[in-house]
Amino acid sequence: MAFTTVFFLFAVMPASVAGYYLIKLLGNRNEKWSDWLSNLFLVLVSLCFYGWARLEGIALLSIYVLGVWMAGKGICYLEKKAKYKRKVCFMTLSILAVTGILIWYKYYNFIAENLSHFFGISLAMSQWIVPLGISFITFTAISYLVDVFRGDAEAGSLLDVFLYLSFFPKVISGPIVQWKDFQRQTVHRRVDETEFLDGLNRIMIGFAKKVILADSFGAVISKIDPYIGVGMDVPTAWLFAFFYMMQIYYDFSGYSDIAIGLAQLFGFHFKENFQFPYRSKSITEFWRRWHISLGTWFRSYIYIPLGGNRKGMKRTLWNLFCVFLLTGIWHGAAWNYILWGVINGVCVLAERCIREKRFYQKIPAIGKWVVTMAIVFFSWQVFYFSDFIRLGVFVKSLFGLSAANAASAVEYTYQHYLTIKLIFLSVVAVLGATTFCMPWAEKVKTFFARTKTGLFIKETGLILLMIVSVIFMINSSYSPFLYFQY
């Protein structure tokens, strides 16, 4: 089930919020009983949410959660028995098991195809349907096992682990929340009026990002895509690349806003997942601002265990490269994702080597920003095209070098796609991605937060924006969430 559907917005979300607060109200005299019932209610809602697309998904997820919970209990048992080596072995086997499930569902066919192509090894192709959110769920499970192993958090009850792994705001699209951050929020949650309103506001902003901006750009991309390599003028090619750059940001950041806002309605506080990444002046900074929860996960469970930056420059560069290679692999079972990860990794390694050099430090901030955005701009095209032949044709189209750019081959020029509406939305998108964190924007936010007039203006504006979002959502024929496949 997607957030940006009429059924979720007008049925699932209000029913889940109303049911949750009814349970809290009825159990007000017994806090422990209230926590247990409200968590159970959220688990049931989450399982229904997850199983909406495929009913058998409920059974698969339940078995998976049970296995992770038992593995956590096993780690705790070996800890009490002071059998450290066995605990390490058991934890390693548990992580290999959950990782093996991810590889089987998501990467088996990719591996089989490449073994056949490069080595002539023939393997039967899998017909299994990849479970929704398998990558997010796997990383969440690993966080649980490692945090329990390290002693960063206690093992949870079966209900707590069910809630952690299945919680519907984050189960299929993130953000990736670490167990040590989630566990303390499984009890004694309180939501006051201000927090509840902030959660609703975050949801409304997320809806606007997703259905007004991302889906509008996505609809144009879907119209242009069939003409790649067939007939496309140069401005249309650049529009396609620009729209995708904007779409993927507003699509994912919008969904993250909805997830964070939804969680806040139930008393859970998730960390930010995006911090204006298109203002970055280096690829290193970009990855501190883009999909922050994924970067935090890799830092905590891959980079630091590999040694981080504690074992010299060569080892640091190797550790960083491994992280970005795995980042590319995590995004999908295709070579373009791996190449995309390698491109970002090489750029981060190069920046690490030259960041202390005088010539680099003398480069103006605007120059660093332009170079960074150019790298991001072109790397997103690698991310989009799984077919390298189409990618090559498209890159040629950007510079007028493809036969598809011939005037006789072009069926629709950029004027056909660049409507007044798209121009307006593009301006809003660029300003929203680059200027809303500047000092003037912070002053405006302060005004809205501290004065009754400002609060009235803000809430009225957001309600109107939400109404427009609903109109876009109902009228749109394009609404897929890009990160569902990851």
Side-chain angles (χ1 to χ4, degrees):
M1 185 187 300
F3 294 149
T4 52
T5 61
V6 173
F7 181 69
F8 178 83
L9 181 61
F10 294 109
V12 176
M13 190 176 81
S16 60
V17 172
Y20 176 82
Y21 282 97
L22 178 60
I23 290 172
K24 281 290 186 183
L25 181 63
L26 294 175
N28 194 39
R29 294 182 180 180
N30 189 323
E31 189 173 47
K32 185 176 181 180
W33 182 246
S34 175
D35 287 337
W36 189 87
L37 277 179
S38 60
N39 287 348
L40 177 61
F41 174 77
L42 289 177
V43 167
L44 294 175
V45 172
S46 298
L47 290 176
C48 292
F49 177 88
Y50 187 81
W52 185 259
R54 292 177 60 216
L55 195 59
E56 59 269 32
I58 296 175
L60 292 174
L61 182 59
S62 298
I63 295 170
Y64 187 94
V65 172
L66 182 61
V68 172
W69 173 74
M70 292 176 64
K73 287 295 183 182
I75 291 171
C76 291
Y77 173 79
L78 292 173
E79 173 70 24
K80 290 179 180 179
K81 295 293 184 180
K83 297 180 179 180
Y84 182 76
K85 290 185 178 179
R86 291 187 181 182
K87 186 179 78 165
V88 171
C89 291
F90 185 79
M91 190 270 293
T92 302
L93 289 173
S94 299
I95 291 177
L96 288 175
V98 296
T99 305
I101 293 171
L102 172 65
I103 293 172
W104 171 258
Y105 276 110
K106 189 172 179 178
Y107 300 99
Y108 173 82
N109 285 346
F110 175 70
I111 294 170
E113 288 172 0
N114 283 278
L115 285 175
S116 176
H117 180 76
F118 291 108
F119 303 103
I121 300 174
S122 180
L123 296 175
M125 302 300 287
S126 171
Q127 302 300 318
W128 291 99
I129 299 174
V130 180
L132 281 175
I134 184 66
S135 296
F136 289 101
I137 294 171
T138 300
F139 275 26
T140 304
I142 292 174
S143 174
Y144 176 77
L145 295 171
V146 175
D147 286 355
V148 170
F149 172 82
R150 291 174 176 172
D152 293 338
E154 296 179 358
S157 66
L158 180 58
L159 181 62
D160 290 343
V161 178
F162 249 108
L163 182 60
Y164 174 56
L165 290 176
S166 69
F167 191 35
F168 75 92
K170 70 175 184 65
V171 63
I172 57 178
S173 59
I176 303 170
V177 182
Q178 296 180 350
W179 170 244
K180 59 186 177 183
D181 296 327
F182 190 90
Q183 185 204 28
R184 62 177 178 269
Q185 302 183 63
T186 57
V187 295
H188 311 315
R189 294 190 304 277
R190 291 290 181 268
V191 183
D192 59 26
E193 294 85 352
T194 301
E195 289 178 320
F196 191 87
L197 183 60
D198 287 344
L200 287 177
N201 290 343
R202 193 67 179 267
I203 292 170
M204 290 189 283
I205 292 170
F207 262 87
K209 284 182 176 182
K210 172 70 174 92
V211 302
I212 297 178
L213 295 176
D215 286 357
S216 294
F217 297 142
V220 179
I221 290 169
S222 66
K223 292 177 182 178
I224 297 175
D225 183 271
Y227 294 98
I228 295 173
V230 178
M232 176 187 295
D233 60 328
V234 172
T236 298
W238 283 92
L239 280 177
F240 179 94
F242 168 76
F243 285 153
Y244 185 67
M245 184 179 182
M246 290 295 107
Q247 182 203 9
I248 196 166
Y249 168 63
Y250 282 104
D251 192 75
F252 196 19
S253 68
Y255 240 83
S256 292
D257 284 339
I258 297 172
I260 292 170
L262 275 171
Q264 192 166 331
L265 297 185
F266 303 109
F268 289 91
H269 297 276
F270 296 165
K271 296 177 181 178
E272 293 296 330
N273 210 21
F274 289 86
Q275 287 282 11
F276 298 94
Y278 291 162
R279 285 184 57 86
S280 303
K281 294 180 285 294
S282 68
I283 297 300
T284 303
E285 182 185 357
F286 175 82
W287 276 100
R288 293 196 190 107
R289 295 170 174 265
W290 177 274
H291 202 170
I292 298 169
S293 65
L294 179 65
T296 301
W297 191 96
F298 272 113
R299 178 178 176 79
S300 297
Y301 305 112
I302 300 295
Y303 180 68
I304 291 177
L306 285 175
N309 60 359
R310 303 185 304 274
K311 298 184 178 181
M313 177 60 81
K314 289 184 179 180
R315 183 62 178 270
T316 298
L317 296 178
W318 170 251
N319 294 341
L320 285 170
F321 182 79
C322 289
V323 165
F324 280 95
L325 177 62
L326 291 173
T327 299
I329 294 171
W330 179 86
H331 278 83
W335 284 107
N336 63 305
Y337 297 121
I338 297 174
L339 177 59
W340 173 77
V342 168
I343 290 171
N344 280 271
V346 169
C347 289
V348 169
L349 265 58
E351 290 169 356
R352 179 61 69 101
C353 291
I354 66 174
R355 65 181 182 179
E356 304 298 333
K357 304 292 184 181
R358 290 186 63 185
F359 81 89
Y360 181 76
Q361 294 177 353
K362 289 182 178 180
I363 298 175
I366 184 65
K368 292 179 180 177
W369 178 80
V370 169
V371 172
T372 300
M373 288 303 101
I375 294 171
V376 172
F377 179 86
F378 285 104
S379 68
W380 280 138
Q381 311 319 308
V382 175
F383 191 87
Y384 179 86
F385 290 98
S386 58
D387 185 336
F388 286 152
I389 295 177
R390 292 189 81 221
L391 172 62
V393 171
F394 178 74
V395 172
K396 290 180 180 179
S397 297
L398 288 172
F399 301 99
L401 302 176
S402 172
N405 295 119
S408 59
V410 176
E411 187 167 347
Y412 297 106
T413 63
Y414 72 94
Q415 292 100 330
H416 175 76
Y417 306 103
L418 196 60
T419 62
I420 297 297
K421 170 187 166 184
L422 263 295
I423 293 173
F424 174 75
L425 292 180
S426 297
V427 172
V428 171
V430 172
L431 292 176
T434 58
T435 67
F436 283 6
C437 63
M438 296 177 71
W440 67 265
E442 295 302 321
K443 291 179 180 178
V444 172
K445 293 176 185 176
T446 301
F447 167 75
F448 285 149
R450 293 185 178 178
T451 66
K452 291 182 178 180
T453 302
L455 180 63
F456 176 78
I457 294 172
K458 180 180 73 172
E459 296 306 323
T460 302
L462 287 175
I463 290 171
L464 292 175
L465 187 64
M466 188 64 187
I467 292 172
V468 174
S469 299
V470 172
I471 294 171
F472 267 73
M473 182 176 66
I474 293 172
N475 292 333
S476 176
S477 59
Y478 180 94
S479 62
F481 175 49
L482 298 180
Y483 265 69
F484 275 163
Q485 61 185 305
Y486 310 129

